[in-house]
Amino acid sequence: MDFSLNDEQRILLGIIERFIESELRPLENEVERAGRLPGEHAERIFKLSKSMGLYALNMPSELGGGGLNTLDWILAEEQFGRTSDILVRRAFGNAYEILLECEGEQVRRWLAPVVSGERTCSIALTEAGAGSDAAGISTRARRKGSGWVLSGGKNFISDAHYSDFFVVTAVTRPEDGRDGISAFIVDKSAPGVEVGAEQEMMGLRGTSHAQIYFNDVRLEPECLLGREGEGLKLAYATLGRVRLAQVAARAIGKASRILDLAVEHASCRRQFGRRIGDFQMIQAMLADSAAEIAAARLNLYHAAWLVDQGRQMNEKISMVKLQASEMLCRVADRAVQIFGGSGYEKSLPIERYYRDSRIFRIFDGTSEIHRSVLARGILRGKGELYAWRE
């Protein structure tokens, strides 16, 4: 394995880095103050991103996406982590790979418009009583004629107010347990769909989260995504790359941005006649953060490379998600300590990064769930998770 960047990767990352620096970072403070991204800014950065070929980088090129493999997508997403979530969503898209299961009319109606940016999608899996236990959902879809009737609700749905449709998991055969859960595509405009009030969060300012209610929503036959009973399989099959890219890679990018700011502060801030970076305890925090970021990045790139080789890497992905999210929180905490009182005030971005970092240990599977997945793999004899056995 050679993880050195080739010329194409360097060019891509340079373009993304300059785009974030010139177009997105200047909007971060406004998003933080207002709690939203004004529509004119959203439209402008979307159009610019599209014109530069940066929209939907993870989707196949034949559909108009970037066509990146896993490792290249990871490299791009690491850069995305260096700015605010809402800016990434508007500039680079919510193109979820579970939509690649679309067939026939579904491609024209839902998949192609998402890749082009004409429509926006949210994933609606989580419920008030089913978070980490994805198989414990209570939303039901019962047969009616050739279609379905959907009843229930979802919780903490990102971009619920903004999106045009949702991918929803629902129980269709209760007697079959997790094999009785199916996935549906549900237009927000469908009668009976109700988006609740925004659920205000500690961090991720500007990205809306809301409950969604399905009040006997009639669904056409083509709203079924994939086969009946394969909803969880579809979700799990596509969540792996998502966890590597939109969680682990962004966590590493965010940690790198935080460390950059901490290093700059430690080099300029003076106490007792010396810059604080000359004090060993500050040096220890910087060194620990740098070492942890480098270790998480190498593990991430290795996992992405393995996925590109066609390997099933569920436990490895859990390891990377766990490592990157826990690392990010430690790096953010150290940065607040290095900045001191100024790191706790809202006038500097460190306070925001500290709040934004905390959710990484919760969404897309809590750290506790991923520890369990990883431990079960180790106990089944998967020594390659911690010993080099390629």
Side-chain angles (χ1 to χ4, degrees):
M1 289 171 294
D2 180 8
F3 293 145
S4 58
L5 299 182
N6 59 40
D7 290 341
E8 290 183 355
Q9 291 168 333
R10 288 192 184 91
I11 292 171
L12 174 63
L13 296 188
I15 292 171
I16 294 174
E17 184 178 7
R18 289 189 294 274
F19 182 85
I20 290 173
E21 207 50 54
S22 63
E23 303 297 332
L24 304 188
R25 187 150 295 133
L27 298 175
E28 290 178 2
N29 288 337
E30 182 173 350
V31 168
E32 186 64 20
R33 284 193 304 268
R36 63 184 183 87
L37 177 64
E40 63 272 17
H41 291 321
E43 184 67 19
R44 181 179 61 80
I45 62 177
F46 161 73
K47 288 182 177 179
L48 185 56
S49 174
K50 279 282 293 181
S51 69
M52 298 172 67
L54 298 177
Y55 198 83
L57 288 173
N58 59 314
M59 302 303 277
S61 55
E62 56 267 27
L63 292 172
L68 299 186
N69 64 19
T70 306
L71 182 56
D72 289 349
W73 184 34
I74 291 299
L75 294 170
E77 290 282 355
E78 187 178 333
Q79 295 300 312
F80 297 168
R82 297 177 67 92
T83 189
S84 300
D85 176 79
I86 186 62
L87 298 173
V88 173
R89 288 173 175 271
R90 296 299 171 264
F92 305 113
N94 294 5
Y96 296 105
E97 295 185 347
I98 194 170
L99 290 174
L100 294 176
E101 295 296 324
C102 287
E103 297 180 344
E105 176 65 13
Q106 293 176 329
V107 174
R108 185 198 66 79
R109 185 171 172 182
W110 290 298
L111 173 56
V114 161
V115 177
S116 67
E118 297 171 49
R119 305 191 76 190
T120 302
C121 171
S122 287
I123 302 296
L125 308 182
T126 301
E127 298 183 7
S132 295
D133 180 15
I137 64 173
S138 58
T139 297
R140 294 286 301 273
R142 65 183 188 276
R143 285 274 191 184
K144 187 163 187 178
S146 60
W148 309 81
V149 176
L150 181 69
S151 304
K154 298 294 180 177
N155 205 25
F156 301 138
I157 306 307
S158 302
D159 267 342
H161 289 280
Y162 179 80
S163 292
D164 300 299
F165 65 91
F166 312 103
V167 174
V168 180
T169 49
V171 177
T172 53
R173 297 195 301 260
E175 67 277 9
D176 290 339
R178 63 194 302 113
D179 292 327
I181 296 174
S182 304
F184 295 89
I185 303 178
V186 183
D187 283 314
K188 187 167 66 176
S189 60
V193 176
E194 177 187 354
V195 179
E198 183 169 343
Q199 297 171 284
E200 293 191 17
M201 299 295 175
M202 181 173 76
L204 301 184
R205 294 271 291 169
T207 301
S208 67
H209 300 83
Q211 292 177 310
I212 309 174
Y213 305 98
F214 306 107
N215 305 304
D216 292 333
V217 179
R218 293 292 301 269
L219 300 178
E220 305 159 288
E222 58 264 31
C223 291
L224 177 66
L225 183 62
R227 297 179 181 276
E228 183 182 356
E230 293 186 349
L232 278 188
K233 287 182 181 179
L234 293 183
Y236 289 154
T238 56
L239 279 177
R241 285 210 336 156
V242 169
R243 282 169 174 157
L244 286 180
Q246 297 181 357
V247 182
R250 289 188 191 179
I252 291 167
K254 195 171 297 296
S256 298
R257 169 69 176 158
I258 293 170
L259 182 55
D260 286 345
L261 294 174
V263 169
E264 181 182 4
H265 184 75
S267 300
C268 298
R269 172 73 168 164
R270 299 186 71 84
Q271 291 284 275
F272 307 104
R274 303 164 63 188
R275 62 176 192 170
I276 64 172
D278 292 331
F279 295 106
Q280 287 186 344
M281 283 184 284
I282 300 296
Q283 291 175 351
M285 287 190 278
L286 296 175
D288 286 347
S289 292
E292 289 190 47
I293 291 171
R297 180 180 289 114
L298 181 60
N299 205 17
L300 170 68
Y301 291 0
H302 182 221
W305 179 83
L306 289 170
V307 170
D308 281 334
Q309 308 312 304
R311 301 271 292 274
Q312 291 294 322
M313 301 305 301
N314 292 341
E315 294 89 353
K316 178 77 169 182
I317 290 171
S318 284
M319 175 189 282
V320 173
K321 195 275 181 184
L322 169 67
Q323 181 185 19
S325 59
E326 294 280 341
M327 173 276 296
L328 170 60
C329 286
R330 289 191 294 270
V331 170
D333 185 74
R334 292 184 192 118
V336 172
Q337 199 69 16
I338 290 169
F339 272 81
S342 59
Y344 198 67
E345 64 171 323
K346 289 183 177 292
S347 63
L348 294 180
I350 292 299
E351 180 267 350
R352 164 164 48 93
Y353 288 136
Y354 184 78
R355 286 185 286 107
D356 287 351
S357 298
R358 188 58 183 84
I359 191 61
F360 280 75
R361 291 165 56 193
I362 297 174
F363 60 18
D364 280 282
T366 65
S367 290
E368 290 71 29
I369 289 295
H370 286 291
R371 284 188 174 97
S372 296
V373 172
L374 177 57
R376 287 197 296 268
I378 294 169
L379 290 170
R380 286 199 302 271
K382 293 193 173 183
E384 68 272 12
L385 290 167
Y386 58 88
W388 201 263
R389 298 175 185 170
E390 292 300 339

